[in-house]
Amino acid sequence: LISPSSLPHRSIELRIVPGNMETLDAKKKATLQEYQMVVNANDINASIQILNDCKWNLENAINTAFELQNSSGSGLATGGSLPSTVNSGPTHRRATSSSSSPSGRGTGSSPMRVEPSRGTTTLTSGSSSTSSSAGGHPPGWAPINTLIEAGLSFMGPVAHRVLPHWAAESQNVAPRAFARKLKEQYSGLPNFVEGTYREACQLARAQGRSLFVYIHCPQHEDTEKFITTSLSSELIRDSLNSNFVCWAGSVTQTDTYKLCSRLRVEGYPCVAVVNPHREATRIPVPTHEGLFPVEQMVTWLHEVKQKYETQVAEVRRRNVEVKQNSQLREIQDMEYVQALEADRKREEAEQRKKEMEAVAEMEEKKRKEEEERKRREEVEAEEKRAEEKLSRREKLMANEPPMGPGVVLVAIRLPDGQQIKRRFPQEEKFGTLFSLVQTYDLLTPHGDEIEKWVLKSRFPSKKWGDPSMTLKDARMGRQAMFFVQEDL
């Protein structure tokens, strides 16, 4: 739990300004209705004032309302007044002021004494006047002295109370990580969804099941016993996995805290069954707080499931009746709607035909442009290759030595009839001859390109393939005759 000394002392003032529902637009009315439903607010004027102060941001307004409720221990944000008693669920403590006047008004802030009791939790730490002259405030202002320090001082023993969101955030655990952590800590638990409450509702709605909700309070003394004896029971686990989508949330999480406020949870451990189907949203949510024997829990789950199925069936039956009654009017409008639909489809078909023709024409144009581009690229590439071959050939043909001792006149006949002649020194390697042949386009007599070829000689009849051999090593005289042949 959070130490009271770690929280700053704050004084919160609520300014009550009369609201006018007629001046609100539809969006603000919807926001006001949702705000009152979440925080259980009854005073419209106070609700409108909080929403105005939060610039009609629903989330900020709800957080502000929860902060007012928890800091004052009352329903000031919902239209109530500062109470003297706070219901705290199954486990209770009584905190009484050590000194107060007989009339119930204290003379100042007094130390508090915590006494065990089975009644409600009572706070008496002085008084706060709400008259316009008490604090020098003008009429229409209600000063609120915060009870944060006093509230948290007795909150330690009362572990089942709901922490306010600004205190719970320090212990917040991601919803996905919490379910995984709970499974690691306890074995034999039902298959809890590793996700947020909204994601669990969506999954239950998709599977056509009710949503079983377990609200975990790690500080409560009965939590360990409830999990090990009831929630981990094989009978409970099989029943939940077969008939429900299960979700667990910790009370130290902000979103779970808001869910507790909406369900009006007062004690722990707490379980609830929520029907996520749209047609059953107005059905009250059955909850159970405290320890739950296995047999009773199985019976309760079965009864809740049967009750939901009966109520949902009744809602669906009414929907069928309404649908059947509306069909009479739909039949009268059917022909008119069909005629409009036929005209619309005909116009759409004509429009689609025109669009398809335009698209086909555009694609044909692009195809021709692409073919022309590829042809140009191939021509350019071929020209570039021819230029490169010619350049290499010129380099190889340059610096031809004159005829004399140690010089061999080499003649190479190509498959298409062309003949290459050049003088080489006897120390020249066959690799140079191979490179020279590669600078020519090797074609068969029929004009087909030759991919693999070999260099041969008739005298002696031999294939020459070692590029490192020299003409002298091959014992070539003053003249050498070679021919290129396709290597089949």
Side-chain angles (χ1 to χ4, degrees):
L1 291 172
I2 298 176
S3 173
S5 61
S6 64
L7 297 174
H9 182 78
R10 296 181 292 180
S11 293
I12 304 175
E13 294 182 344
L14 177 64
R15 179 187 177 190
I16 306 299
V17 178
N20 189 355
M21 287 288 292
E22 297 179 356
T23 60
L24 303 179
D25 54 19
K27 184 177 180 180
K28 290 185 177 181
K29 289 181 180 179
T31 304
L32 175 62
Q33 183 178 3
E34 186 173 358
Y35 167 82
Q36 290 182 307
M37 180 182 66
V38 172
V39 304
N40 194 25
N42 299 321
D43 194 326
I44 295 179
N45 292 342
S47 301
I48 293 177
Q49 177 58 40
I50 291 179
L51 287 168
N52 279 331
D53 292 341
C54 296
K55 298 182 180 180
W56 290 89
N57 185 303
L58 181 60
E59 183 177 356
N60 292 342
I62 292 175
N63 290 338
T64 301
F66 288 152
E67 183 174 344
L68 290 174
Q69 290 178 4
N70 289 279
S71 64
S72 63
S74 69
L76 283 167
T78 63
S81 58
L82 185 65
S84 60
T85 301
V86 180
N87 293 330
S88 58
T91 308
H92 307 285
R93 303 285 178 181
R94 180 180 300 274
T96 309
S97 172
S98 60
S99 62
S100 61
S101 62
S103 62
R105 294 191 177 186
T107 58
S109 177
S110 304
M112 301 181 63
R113 183 174 69 257
V114 180
E115 298 177 355
S117 173
R118 295 186 178 272
T120 59
T121 302
T122 305
L123 300 178
T124 307
S125 60
S127 65
S128 59
S129 175
T130 58
S131 64
S132 61
S133 60
H137 296 283
W141 286 77
I144 302 173
N145 295 328
T146 60
L147 298 178
I148 296 176
E149 296 179 1
L152 291 178
S153 65
F154 71 86
M155 212 164 159
V158 189
H160 68 280
R161 289 182 56 85
V162 177
L163 294 176
H165 69 92
W166 44 265
E169 286 176 354
S170 63
Q171 307 179 30
N172 196 13
V173 180
R176 303 179 192 277
F178 170 74
R180 186 162 52 252
K181 181 179 178 182
L182 194 64
K183 293 177 183 178
E184 294 175 354
Q185 186 176 1
Y186 301 99
S187 60
L189 293 177
N191 296 329
F192 288 117
V193 176
E194 294 184 4
T196 62
Y197 173 74
R198 178 174 297 180
E199 292 172 348
C201 287
Q202 294 174 353
L203 179 61
R205 191 179 299 113
Q207 296 183 0
R209 296 184 178 186
S210 298
L211 179 63
F212 174 82
V213 176
Y214 165 61
I215 299 177
H216 180 76
C217 182
Q219 294 85 4
H220 197 272
E221 58 185 4
D222 294 334
T223 297
E224 185 80 17
K225 183 178 180 181
F226 173 77
I227 294 178
T228 55
T229 61
S230 298
L231 202 58
S232 298
S233 169
E234 182 178 359
L235 189 62
I236 297 296
R237 182 175 66 253
D238 294 342
S239 177
L240 290 176
N241 292 338
S242 302
N243 302 295
F244 300 88
V245 172
C246 303
W247 179 84
S250 175
V251 72
T252 58
Q253 298 174 353
T254 304
D255 54 348
T256 307
Y257 168 75
K258 294 178 181 179
L259 177 62
C260 293
S261 300
R262 189 173 65 185
L263 298 180
R264 300 182 181 179
V265 176
E266 296 181 353
Y268 301 96
C270 176
V271 293
V273 177
V274 179
N275 195 314
H277 299 289
R278 184 176 300 175
E279 62 268 20
T281 52
R282 296 184 180 180
I283 298 177
V285 177
T287 59
H288 180 87
E289 301 171 358
L291 294 176
F292 213 167
V294 175
E295 294 78 7
Q296 296 181 13
M297 188 172 179
V298 171
T299 303
W300 180 75
L301 290 173
H302 179 73
E303 292 176 352
V304 169
K305 182 175 180 292
Q306 294 294 331
K307 178 181 177 181
Y308 268 131
E309 290 177 351
T310 303
Q311 292 174 338
V312 171
E314 178 65 20
V315 171
R316 290 177 177 174
R317 185 187 64 80
R318 294 177 183 176
N319 292 339
V320 170
E321 291 180 357
V322 172
K323 185 177 181 179
Q324 290 176 349
N325 294 333
S326 63
Q327 286 178 349
L328 296 176
R329 184 174 181 179
E330 291 178 358
I331 293 175
Q332 298 176 356
D333 300 336
M334 186 65 67
E335 294 181 357
Y336 176 72
V337 172
Q338 289 178 350
L340 292 178
E341 185 70 12
D343 293 341
R344 184 184 64 81
K345 288 183 178 180
R346 184 173 59 255
E347 292 176 357
E348 288 181 354
E350 294 177 356
Q351 182 66 22
R352 283 196 300 270
K353 183 178 179 181
K354 293 180 180 179
E355 292 177 355
M356 291 175 63
E357 292 176 353
V359 170
E361 183 179 355
M362 183 64 67
E363 289 180 352
E364 180 66 18
K365 183 179 179 181
K366 289 182 178 180
R367 185 184 64 80
K368 291 181 179 180
E369 292 177 352
E370 183 68 17
E371 290 179 354
E372 180 64 21
R373 183 185 63 80
K374 290 182 178 180
R375 188 188 63 81
R376 288 197 304 267
E377 289 179 354
E378 291 176 357
V379 171
E380 292 175 357
E382 186 65 26
E383 292 177 351
K384 186 177 181 180
R385 286 195 297 269
E387 292 177 357
E388 291 176 352
K389 287 183 178 181
L390 182 60
S391 177
R392 292 200 305 270
R393 187 189 310 165
E394 291 175 351
K395 289 181 180 180
L396 293 172
M397 297 295 287
N399 300 325
E400 185 177 4
M403 197 65 188
V407 177
V408 181
L409 177 60
V410 178
I412 304 175
R413 183 177 295 276
L414 302 181
D416 59 354
Q418 296 185 66
Q419 189 173 11
I420 306 173
K421 288 185 178 182
R422 189 187 189 278
R423 294 183 295 273
F424 291 98
Q426 289 182 343
E427 290 77 13
E428 194 68 50
K429 298 180 180 180
F430 274 86
T432 305
L433 275 62
F434 297 155
S435 300
L436 181 60
V437 172
Q438 289 175 352
T439 60
Y440 288 84
D441 295 331
L442 303 180
L443 303 175
T444 64
H446 302 288
D448 299 329
E449 185 177 358
I450 298 176
E451 295 182 358
K452 294 183 179 181
W453 54 273
V454 293
L455 188 65
K456 290 185 176 181
S457 63
R458 288 189 176 89
F459 303 103
S461 180
K462 186 178 179 179
K463 291 183 181 179
W464 303 95
D466 186 2
S468 62
M469 180 181 289
T470 63
L471 295 174
K472 185 177 181 180
D473 295 337
R475 297 182 179 180
M476 295 295 171
R478 300 184 62 182
Q479 294 184 356
M481 183 66 184
F482 301 96
F483 61 95
V484 176
Q485 186 177 1
E486 185 176 6
D487 188 9
L488 299 178

